[in-house]
Amino acid sequence: MIRFENVTKRYDGAREALSNVSIEVAAGELAFLTGRSGAGKSTVLKLVALIERPTRGQVIVDGRPLGKLGYHEIPAHRQQIGMVFQDNRLLNDRSAYENVALPLIISGIGEREIGRRTRAALDQVGLLDREKYPPRALSAGEQQRLAIARAIVSRPKVLIADEPTGNLDPDLSLEIMTLFRRLNEVGVTMLIASHDLQLVQKFGSRRIVLSGGQVSSSDTVDRAAGVGT
Amino acid sequence: MSTGIWLARHAQNMLGALGALSRNPVGTFLTVAVIGIALALPAALNVLVQTGKSAAGNWSDVRDFSVYMTPATPLVRAESLAGELRKRSGIDSVQLVTADAAVAELGKDPVFANALAALEGNPLPHTLVVRPAPEMDSEQLGKLSTELQKTPDVDLVKLDLQWAQRLNAGLDFLARLGWIAAVLLGAAVLVIVGNTIRLDIQTRTEEIEVAKLLGATDTFVRRPFLYLGLWYGLFGSLVAVLILAISLWVLGAPVARLAGLYGSSLELAGVGLGTLGAVLGGGLLAGWSGAWLAVSRHLSGLRPKD
């Protein structure tokens, strides 16, 4: 589902953020990207979402080489991917409902369907009773669950998350990761960047360890997809 | 996306932009007022030119010219030439003054009456008084005069080009000044709207970035700002028309009085459909373009980096 073939990414005037990286995440798999700050985890996710383009090599998502996508094809690609950010990037001048509905509005879906799917997503993360609240009125854990609802509302095949538990205490982190596991069990392919090794180990999913922009190890067979290296 | 959803999205963006303007009434009023003043200036110059053209029509006799036939030209030939000229474009009217009528007119003056009595025959030729159409400029008048001068049986064409040239040069100058003002002030409106939208974009940067990350197209992001630009342009245009209408109303009576003192019935031209269309069209175009440029500039910074 997600494949990196000898991918190198160099930012202007800086060292290589990724150096000749080759990784593969199979359909339905839940994989964790781990490593210290600056290891290149966020860069991998940015390349998947086409926020950045590789300097060399090829990124393939759902069988489609992203290097061949023109600027005007990027929106359609991003609509196929659910994204959860470390700082959740929720819009505080809008209600929880409006935040979750945004990807559907962008996709040009009708109002009735938007209402149905948005409430279903809010229900899935346990926030249906908070739909009228602005994000700032929610707790940190609720905000992250809201961000997850926004990421899954379009029913993406792939979900990527960048340090989704970075700002949360251990209990809330576990709650969020359990939520990801639940979503993965219904077939969503997931690539989650996290520096919290202890938390990752609790889930027994495959870990892709990055160090200095290179894959230092990739272990553990994923339970859901049975894929590993 | 179905047509119904597409229309609904546009309606939401249009009304949303209107709502955004109403939430900041003071800022909106100031921006719209500046746009209105900028649009009103070239429109006022256009009205001045229209008034000048109207004045040229009122004083059209200063552009009349006389075509003297050679002596002894038969009346039939003079009538035939008058008929030909009446059919030409660029000529409003042709009046034939026969030699007999001219001598009779001259004879009314006692000074000339005695001199005419001493002559054996009528020395005066048939004359055609030609009134050119108002749209004829001095160059065209000059060409017509030269052409008539070469016509058989025409002895002399007398045209007071200096008057016509001065009047037309003045009107040409004003018209071009109007165009320059329209271009410069149109550009100013574009900058004003662009800058206002840029400030609005700055307050919504987070929203735009999130929308782009979630797969919004440039069109989706641009749309609400384009409607904002169109509203600014529309309201600015209406303010311009209002300024113009009030100015014309205030100046109308004094101009008529002044013209009356010179024996003219000159009146200021009103805000015609042409001016109204130009102000509205110009305002909407500048508003839309300003918004488009501002959003495009911002979006170019959100493109994926190689």
Side-chain angles (χ1 to χ4, degrees), chain A residues 114-125:
Chain A
I114 287 175
R116 200 180 62 73
R117 283 211 219 170
T118 302
R119 292 200 171 86
L122 284 166
D123 193 27
Q124 215 168 344
V125 299

Side-chain angles (χ1 to χ4, degrees), chain A residues 9 50-53 71 74-75 78-79 83 85 89 91 94 102 105-106 108-111 114 150, chain B residues 1 5 9 12 204 206-207 209-218 220 299 302-306:
Chain A
K9 175 65 187 177
L50 258 178
I51 296 167
E52 304 280 354
R53 288 187 188 270
Y71 175 69
I74 294 173
R78 288 186 185 160
Q79 286 171 24
M83 280 187 258
F85 311 96
R89 307 206 73 166
L91 303 173
R94 299 194 184 191
L102 188 56
I105 294 169
I106 288 168
I109 289 167
E111 290 297 331
I114 287 175
R150 185 180 63 186
Chain B
M1 195 188 297
I5 294 171
R9 293 277 183 273
Q12 282 170 358
R204 293 170 67 178
E206 175 74 5
E207 182 186 336
E209 284 180 12
V210 169
K212 285 297 288 176
L213 287 173
L214 296 176
T217 58
D218 286 359
F220 180 91
L299 286 173
L302 298 177
R303 285 176 176 248
K305 298 160 197 81
D306 290 324

Side-chain angles (χ1 to χ4, degrees), chain B residues 131-173:
Chain B
R131 174 163 294 178
E135 65 268 18
M136 292 276 279
D137 60 25
S138 50
E139 193 183 340
Q140 289 168 316
L141 284 177
K143 276 185 187 169
L144 179 64
S145 161
T146 310
E147 199 182 318
L148 286 174
Q149 186 69 65
K150 291 175 186 166
T151 308
D153 301 321
V154 169
D155 186 29
L156 177 69
V157 177
K158 195 180 169 204
L159 165 66
D160 189 357
L161 262 180
Q162 216 173 29
W163 249 105
Q165 279 171 337
R166 282 175 187 162
L167 193 61
N168 282 318
L171 291 177
D172 281 351
F173 170 73

Side-chain angles (χ1 to χ4, degrees), chain A residues 129-140:
Chain A
D129 59 340
R130 299 279 199 276
E131 67 169 276
K132 290 191 175 124
Y133 288 51
R136 63 173 172 275
L138 304 177
S139 68

Side-chain angles (χ1 to χ4, degrees), chain A residues 164-180:
Chain A
T165 59
N167 298 326
L168 304 179
D169 62 42
D171 289 344
L172 281 176
S173 298
L174 192 62
E175 179 191 320
I176 294 298
M177 285 301 184
T178 307
L179 184 57
F180 278 128

